[in-house]
Amino acid sequence: MIAMYKCEIQATAEVLGKVYAVLSKRQGRVISEDLKEGSGSFVIAAVLPVAESLGFAEEIRKKTSGFAMPQLVFSHWETLQEDPFWVPTTEEELAHFGELGDSGNLAHDYMMSARKEKDFRQTNK
């Protein structure tokens, strides 16, 4: 399970693409986008994994030159549908994922970063 933040971002129309790029890079999902009447700015509602949120506000402000302002609040827990200890076994899986099968396993990446942060023993299965 991973903790998720609800992210509300106020941004101008000129920087919407950059906001979406930062959210996408950090595994965020956009829930809604509304135009604020009379101001010309957008309010974007999204969810973002807590593990991906370190430095998020700084990066989004930097990429948008200060024209986007995020606010993060804990929202809920989500279950990842991946096994952090999965390794490919069939020939097809080996061809697609590689010998170790560690390309793109988000559950494994989160588990290893939590172990490193808590100074637990590192096991690479």
Side-chain angles (χ1 to χ4, degrees), residues 40-60:
S41 66
F42 287 85
V43 176
I44 302 160
V47 290
L48 180 74
V50 171
E52 300 284 345
S53 68
L54 187 63
F56 174 74
E58 181 182 337
E59 181 180 3
I60 207 161

Side-chain angles (χ1 to χ4, degrees), residues 72-121:
L72 301 172
V73 177
F74 178 78
S75 176
H76 63 281
W77 292 90
E78 278 189 13
T79 303
L80 287 174
Q81 299 301 319
E82 300 177 36
D83 180 4
F85 298 109
W86 178 81
V87 290
T89 53
T90 66
E91 287 182 29
E92 184 179 302
E93 289 173 344
L94 286 168
H96 188 267
F97 296 107
E99 202 167 302
L100 298 176
D102 56 0
S103 62
N105 189 337
L106 200 56
H108 182 266
D109 295 344
Y110 286 157
M111 179 189 72
M112 295 308 286
S113 69
R115 284 183 174 182
K116 182 179 178 183
E117 186 178 308
K118 295 179 183 286
D119 202 26
F120 285 171
R121 182 174 57 95

